[in-house]
Amino acid sequence: MGSPKAALEWHGSTLLWRTVAIIGRAADGPVVVVRAPGQELPPLPPETDVVDDPQEGQGPVQGIAAGLAALAGRADVAFVSSTDMPFLHPAFVRRVLRAAQDGADVALPVARGFRQPLAAAYRTALAPAAERLVRAGRLKPAFLFEDNNVAVLEEAVLAAFDPDLDSVLNINEPADYQSARARTAPEVTVQRFGVLADGRRGPEQVRAATLAEAAEAAGVALGRHVTAALNGDRITREGQTPLAAGDTVFFLSADAGG
């Protein structure tokens, strides 16, 4: 790529910020970023935990092991994602997590013709098994599927939540990034309430990849006197909050009548 994927610009923030924030939207628990030893990271959403790989260059299984170990005692199941999936959808994440929460050790999507171990859910209790694989030099995620209960999620199941399965599209070359960045922002619904409505009380469809973009499209200035409710429950003023297709954003005034 010529530059770290994590720091690539994405609608005013970075690829890493978007990935962390999307998983934070979908998962009921902490979010952990695993980095290479000494790796510099771009800014992260508040309350993101960062842990280091014990050794550089040991592949994804070591990263999975470090992340699962960091969540031990705080979560039973974790969604594991690479940094470079800019179209990861919260609904996809929730569906994969649910498959593991229903009893599987691993919930493994099959999408676009391939197994997706870096868009999968793992029980945090698998951390010791992953660590043993690293010590044995067995560094492919497929080895973690042996002797464990793996729920395979086929494309037809996942497409109900992400019709084009764009959640698993990743960025490997500069052309991939340019193509992804050139895509039209997702369609979301915005609605203004109280004094913000200014005669426009009905919902409207706009194109926006972040809360800031949705506010701009709606003619609303986020700030101390304006807040947003994402999908009716998540209250935020953070303009970098990533949006996904189908989201609804309510803009509310904190002033009297809002």
Side-chain angles (χ1 to χ4, degrees):
M1 286 294 299
S3 60
K5 292 182 183 181
L8 290 174
E9 188 276 339
W10 193 261
H11 292 273
S13 60
T14 63
L15 276 183
L16 181 58
W17 179 290
R18 185 190 188 278
T19 301
V20 170
I22 284 289
I23 293 174
R25 281 185 49 184
D28 182 18
V31 180
V32 172
V33 172
V34 181
R35 66 179 179 180
Q39 179 186 4
E40 291 188 13
L41 297 177
L44 294 166
E47 300 181 2
T48 304
D49 293 340
V50 178
V51 299
D52 290 341
D53 266 341
Q55 184 178 351
E56 191 171 5
Q58 293 296 300
V61 173
Q62 181 172 260
I64 292 171
L68 296 182
L71 288 168
R74 297 193 290 164
D76 293 329
V77 174
F79 184 85
V80 172
S81 172
S82 59
T83 301
D84 61 340
M85 295 195 295
F87 305 112
L88 187 64
H89 198 292
F92 179 96
V93 177
R94 285 191 290 267
R95 179 61 184 90
V96 175
L97 281 169
R98 190 168 77 241
Q101 290 162 345
D102 287 343
D105 297 314
V106 180
L108 180 64
V110 175
R112 295 179 174 261
F114 297 95
R115 299 196 298 182
Q116 304 289 339
L118 297 183
Y122 298 80
R123 289 204 163 269
T124 57
L126 292 179
E131 291 166 357
R132 288 193 296 271
L133 288 175
V134 173
R135 290 195 297 270
R138 306 180 75 199
L139 303 179
K140 295 182 179 180
F143 293 127
L144 195 54
F145 307 151
E146 297 176 357
D147 303 320
N148 285 305
N149 178 13
V150 178
V152 175
L153 297 172
E154 301 290 352
E155 292 189 352
V157 172
L158 296 167
F161 301 86
D162 182 3
D164 295 323
L165 299 176
D166 285 346
S167 285
V168 301
L169 284 177
N170 58 10
I171 291 173
N172 293 314
E173 303 291 341
D176 298 335
Y177 170 63
Q178 295 300 331
S179 176
R181 195 62 185 82
R183 278 199 181 196
T184 304
E187 186 173 75
V188 301
T189 300
V190 298
Q191 190 166 359
R192 310 158 196 80
F193 289 89
V195 297
L196 299 177
D198 192 26
R200 298 179 296 178
R201 293 191 173 274
E204 299 177 30
Q205 273 65 53
V206 302
R207 293 280 181 176
T210 64
L211 183 63
E213 290 182 8
E216 182 178 3
V220 171
L222 286 173
R224 185 165 61 90
H225 298 291
V226 176
T227 190
L230 179 56
N231 296 325
D233 54 8
R234 185 182 182 91
I235 306 300
T236 181
R237 291 188 176 93
E238 175 53 70
Q240 291 182 346
T241 299
L243 302 180
D247 280 340
T248 297
V249 182
F250 294 159
F251 289 107
L252 313 164
S253 172
D255 297 329

